[in-house]
Each structure stands twice: as structure tokens, then as C-alpha cells.
Amino acid sequence: MDKNETYRMLVKQVESLIEGENNPVGQLANTAALLHDTMDWWWTGFYLILNGELRLGPFQGPVACYSIKRGRGVCGTAWDQDRTIVVPDVELFEGHIACSSLSRSEIVVPLHDSQGNVVGVLDIDSKELATFDEVDAQWLEEIARVISRHVLD
Ligand code: SME
């Protein structure tokens, strides 16, 4: 299946999986499980801002670091600059935080509340180089908007 088709299907699935629920941990856990199960990714999960830091949220994959400061690593930079960051080769991103030494490329998408404030990030790692591109960025931003509507509002 073409990548756009897969994401089109995923957006619908995420929407029906989380709408009508009132349990953010469960909704984010199921979203991570669905994305991770569908795509061939190494780590798929959420960091949420708590007391001025990104703190580990629901995820699928190997164990990860608990907290990330604003401006640190790919996640803290995506938060600080409020933009999606695509990293084709993590070794070339200065300050990358290696939770797993097997991660080779990464994408981080900010999550917003209804006022537009960044409240966390969706972080995805791959064991292959250059897994993520603009197509992934656009669709994952769409998924982040669905999450904002149904979970973080
Ligand atoms: N690599 C991330 C840290 C989180 S792990 O990838 C799960 C970063 O540099 O922010």
C-alpha cells in the first residue's frame, strides 16, 4: 500500500479509536499501539509537558528516558521551536538524546491544546536511516490534530 493510503487509513482509525473516550492515558496508549503496530517503527510514543519538562508518556518500543528539558534533544527542540523536526540521521543532530543506541532516524511532532499551546510531542524512531520525510510530517501533524481534538482539549 502507498504511504499516503496507509496514513489516510490510520487517521480514520485513530479517530474512531479515541473519540468518545475520556481517558487520556488509555487514548494515547492505544494510539501509540495502533501506529506502532501498523508501521515498521522502532519506538512510537508521547512525551507530555509536566512541571516545565517533557515527561515520558504512553509508548511502544524499548524503555526510554523519563524527562527531557526544553530545547534539549530532538523532542525538546520541537517543543521549543513549536515545529515538526525530521532527522534523517540522528548522529548528525547535535544534542540528540540516544534512548536506544539502535535508533538511526527520527521524527518529532508537537501536540497542542485548544489554545494552540504545545502540551507535548509525538516522537517516532526508526532503526533505518532517513525513514521519515515531508509526507510523514504532514500526516503525523494531521494525527496530532486529531489527538488535540479528542484527548488534549
Ligand atoms: N531521541 C529523542 C529522545 C527520546 S527517545 O528517542 C524515545 C530526542 O533526542 O529528543
Side-chain angles (χ1 to χ4, degrees):
M1 203 188 287
D2 153 74
K3 189 153 82 171
N4 279 295
E5 276 311 301
T6 305
Y7 274 117
R8 218 185 307 282
M9 182 192 77
L10 270 178
V11 170
K12 288 198 185 115
Q13 288 178 334
V14 170
E15 198 140 32
S16 61
L17 190 62
I18 64 178
E19 72 182 346
E21 263 296 321
N22 183 22
N23 164 14
V25 172
Q27 287 164 303
L28 295 180
N30 263 344
T31 301
L34 174 65
L35 296 178
H36 196 77
D37 247 15
T38 306
M39 309 299 264
D40 194 20
W41 291 330
W42 177 238
W43 196 93
T44 310
F46 298 93
Y47 280 88
L48 301 172
I49 298 171
L50 187 72
N51 299 329
E53 282 188 348
L54 284 170
R55 308 289 293 270
L56 185 61
F59 70 94
Q60 296 270 312
V63 297
C65 43
Y66 277 112
S67 49
I68 299 172
K69 292 194 190 316
R70 185 169 187 157
R72 294 293 176 84
V74 187
C75 292
T77 304
W79 168 21
D80 193 47
Q81 300 181 359
D82 190 1
R83 67 179 180 94
T84 298
I85 300 184
V86 176
V87 181
D89 181 347
V90 296
E91 285 180 18
L92 302 180
F93 188 97
E94 210 180 311
H96 169 259
I97 300 164
C99 290
S100 159
S101 59
L102 294 177
S103 290
R104 306 293 300 280
S105 61
E106 176 163 3
I107 185 168
V108 179
V109 180
L111 302 169
H112 300 95
D113 65 14
S114 54
Q115 277 83 51
N117 304 306
V118 180
V119 291
V121 298
L122 167 60
D123 176 17
I124 302 168
D125 290 16
S126 165
K127 282 203 286 187
E128 317 296 327
L129 287 170
T131 295
F132 309 101
D133 58 20
E134 259 316 294
V135 173
D136 298 276
Q138 279 170 20
W139 282 106
L140 292 169
E141 285 170 5
E142 179 63 24
I143 288 171
R145 280 191 287 275
V146 171
I147 292 168
S148 294
R149 266 202 307 280
H150 294 293
V151 182
L152 306 168
D153 212 13

